[in-house]
DNA sequence: ATACAGGCTGGAATTGTATCCAGTCATTGT
DNA sequence: ACAATGACTGGATACAATTCCAGCCTGTAT
């Protein structure tokens, strides 16, 4: 719909962009004229009209510095990686893999490497078994997928098709999953008798995302 | 010289920021007056002078819409409201506004409206006074700048130039700031005797960002 | 040749805006 | 009690800025 800008129009447009980046507001006709050597502000006005016709700027009539740059490519700041974000996992059905699509509630627009080690997904925690570790019902636990866990770290584990978040403690073949809440008993597992699947390591917590607020 | 902004000054400042984000240029005195209900553009002018004195904006004399935001690495593009992310505030020096540039540690690439009400900045919490509310030393508290607080909500308050996070309780002119930790005594303030500045409302918590990990 | 758009000068009307002055009212610090 | 400050109203003034009008060139399609 719009023909390409002429060389002169491009110069005017560039000056507008540069001015807005430098000062935080658009130039006046007189400022454009001064910068480009016009002796009349009307020359700038006509260029602005042309740029408006071609859709690269929008003029707001009767308004000083009333120039807007509509949906344009933002070139002042280094572009954000803008990955799709971390998937938020709601309830996990028995026996199905955690990252199955049907568990994905929504996405959290945070880069995976915001946490370290990097997060692979966010798990919505149910219950208060980790409240003394500051993980409450409804909180999102950032999880790094790994089987390498050291004692005392917080893990996402699967026990009999049940996904839980607990503190991990291992001595030989005996693993203890400790709740951070006096009301919950530790769970003791003998790896030679029972299977324990480690889904990942807790690397962060987010609370309050999307209306859940702070209680 | 840089005392914190008054509530009204904050309102004016917020309007300037909002206008620049929405339109790509700062408001005029008349526009500020219209938006905030002043009958005289002079009321806006005086607020701008106060904001300039306190360093949060800079005025360019004789220039229409001559308002700059020197603090944030603000960009002119209205393209995406959530481009740069939320500023992370480290320690706040006595008597200076929270969002002063020198307090900004880094940015968290999360859109403000991920939380609701939307977050304006993230405050790094020091100490364990809110541990029973799941807010630990080093956690980031997402803060929505407002003075409208209901009983039981978690607030960021300034008492004698000291910034603290507590649960808010008000009965008449007596405000109680309650720590969520049995080791800390509640702080009782009589608003008629002592000044209490409410900096904002806690709307979220983030833990584990960048190497701090989970303990 | 003629028409038409781009790119200007020069001037001028009109409105937008910044900025000053003189007050009022309430709060706070001395 | 007094001065200082914040938060305004109301009016006024001068400059800043948009916008219109009448032209003058120079190409380039018709």
């Amino acid at each position: 719909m719009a023909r390409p800008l002429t060389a002169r129009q491009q110069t005017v447009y560039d000056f507008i962009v540069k001015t807005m980046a430098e000062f935080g507001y658009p130039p006046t006709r007189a400022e454009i004229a001064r910068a480009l050597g016009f002796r009349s502000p009307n020359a700038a006005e006509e260029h602005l009209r042309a740029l408006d016709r071609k859709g690269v700027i929008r003029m707001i009539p009767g308004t000083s510095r009333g120039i807007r740059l509509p949906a344009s490519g933002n070139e002042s700041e280094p572009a954000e990686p803008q990955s799709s974000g971390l998937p938020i996992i709601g309830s996990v059905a028995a026996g199905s893999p955690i990252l199955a699509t049907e568990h994905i509630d929504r996405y959290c627009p945070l880069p995976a490497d915001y946490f370290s080690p990097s997060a692979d997904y966010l798990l919505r925690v149910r219950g208060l078994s980790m409240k003394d570790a500051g993980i409450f019902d409804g909180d999102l636990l950032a999880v790094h997928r790994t089987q390498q866990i050291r004692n005392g770290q917080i893990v996402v584990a699967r026990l009999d098709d049940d996904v839980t978040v607990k503190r991990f403690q291992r001595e030989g073949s005996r693993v203890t999953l400790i709740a951070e809440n006096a009301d919950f008993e530790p769970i003791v597992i003998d790896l030679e008798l029972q299977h324990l699947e480690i889904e990942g390591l807790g690397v962060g917590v987010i609370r309050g995302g999307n209306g859940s607020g702070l209680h």
Side-chain angles (χ1 to χ4, degrees), chain A:
Chain A
M1 57 190 80
R3 286 199 299 263
L5 302 187
T6 68
R8 210 71 178 119
Q9 286 165 359
Q10 186 66 51
T11 310
V12 174
Y13 178 78
D14 289 344
F15 176 71
I16 295 170
V17 172
K18 191 186 128 227
T19 302
M20 291 182 70
E22 188 176 346
F23 298 107
Y25 44 78
T28 65
R29 275 68 164 164
E31 284 165 2
I32 295 172
R34 211 176 311 135
L36 304 196
F38 306 154
R39 300 206 192 173
S40 168
N42 188 47
E45 172 79 14
E46 283 174 357
H47 275 119
L48 291 180
R49 285 179 193 278
L51 291 172
D52 186 271
R53 269 199 309 275
K54 295 186 178 180
V56 295
I57 69 167
R58 201 147 71 208
M59 293 172 71
I60 289 88
T63 306
S64 73
R65 303 180 191 276
I67 299 172
R68 299 183 62 174
L69 304 179
S72 66
N74 197 339
E75 64 272 353
S76 55
E77 283 292 301
E80 214 80 30
Q82 201 56 42
S83 55
S84 50
L86 294 168
I88 299 180
I89 310 296
S91 59
V92 178
S96 69
I98 276 199
L99 275 180
T101 326
E102 61 262 34
H103 300 149
I104 296 180
D105 243 32
R106 55 168 68 100
Y107 286 84
C108 172
L110 202 59
D113 61 2
Y114 177 74
F115 299 98
S116 119
S118 70
D120 293 301
Y121 59 91
L122 301 173
L123 180 68
R124 193 170 296 278
V125 176
R126 288 299 160 201
L128 283 167
S129 71
M130 295 301 284
K131 82 168 170 54
D132 291 348
I135 304 174
F136 288 32
D137 187 74
D139 287 6
L140 297 175
L141 181 72
V143 182
H144 173 69
R145 299 187 90 174
T146 180
Q147 261 81 41
Q148 278 140 45
I149 306 289
R150 289 197 301 275
N151 279 348
Q153 289 183 318
I154 288 173
V155 296
V156 177
R158 191 190 287 265
L159 234 189
D160 299 330
D161 283 343
D162 215 21
V163 174
T164 56
V165 177
K166 292 288 179 297
R167 197 174 292 282
F168 181 90
Q169 192 73 32
R170 175 175 181 170
E171 287 133 15
S173 72
R174 197 177 73 231
V175 167
T176 312
L177 297 179
I178 307 160
E180 288 276 350
N181 183 336
D183 299 343
F184 289 75
E185 290 298 314
I187 303 170
V188 181
I189 301 128
D190 188 333
L191 292 181
E192 290 170 7
L193 303 175
Q194 219 171 344
H195 184 61
L196 179 71
E197 187 90 35
I198 301 295
E199 291 279 359
L201 169 70
V203 294
V205 176
I206 300 176
R207 183 180 313 140
N210 250 348
S212 58
L214 288 187
H215 72 121

